[in-house]
Amino acid sequence: QVQLVESGGGLVQAGGSLRLSCAASGITFSSYAMGWYRQAPGKQREMVATITRGDITNYAGSVKGRFTISRDNNKNTVYLQMNSLKPEDTAVYYCKVIAIMNVWGQGTQVTVSS
């Protein structure tokens, strides 16, 4: 059974930084591409960043240059370093195993105040 546990969210002022973590279990972590997604109130869930098993990364245009996704296969963990945060980054952030449908963690709330 795949389990994903996100952590690291919180309240931060605009311009600040946060580092999110997602610990995965129930899979051979190194074999899978991983992604971070977010959902703001009243909006659809959207892709933020993805990382392949070969460490190739991809970012949404709105976060490119500010966010960095990385992974530690020894710890079965994927990270999202978020810098220069903006109020519009406020959302619940989720990680996902790209190839596995409909399995989400509980998410972690990120709130950026202006």
Side-chain angles (χ1 to χ4, degrees):
Q1 182 180 0
V2 179
Q3 288 192 318
L4 302 168
V5 180
E6 301 95 338
S7 62
L11 173 63
V12 64
Q13 287 189 331
S17 298
L18 285 173
R19 188 194 194 204
L20 306 184
S21 300
C22 170
S25 60
I27 58 170
T28 304
F29 181 79
S30 60
S31 297
Y32 289 91
M34 298 293 295
W36 282 98
Y37 294 73
R38 67 186 181 187
Q39 188 166 19
K43 295 188 177 181
Q44 289 190 329
R45 195 169 297 186
E46 63 176 357
M47 186 277 288
V48 174
T50 61
I51 184 167
T52 69
R53 57 183 183 176
D55 289 341
I56 296 172
T57 58
N58 185 47
Y59 297 93
S62 59
V63 308
K64 196 172 293 185
R66 299 188 297 123
F67 290 10
T68 302
I69 188 171
S70 62
R71 64 191 298 159
D72 184 338
N73 291 335
N74 292 322
K75 296 182 178 179
N76 289 0
T77 299
V78 60
Y79 303 98
L80 186 68
Q81 178 67 43
M82 305 187 295
N83 298 329
S84 302
L85 282 161
K86 304 176 180 180
E88 52 263 44
D89 295 318
T90 295
V92 178
Y93 284 71
Y94 302 89
C95 70
K96 189 179 184 303
V97 182
I98 300 297
I100 299 177
M101 301 294 290
N102 298 324
V103 174
W104 299 91
Q106 83 288 351
T108 187
Q109 176 71 48
V110 172
T111 303
V112 185
S113 62
S114 57

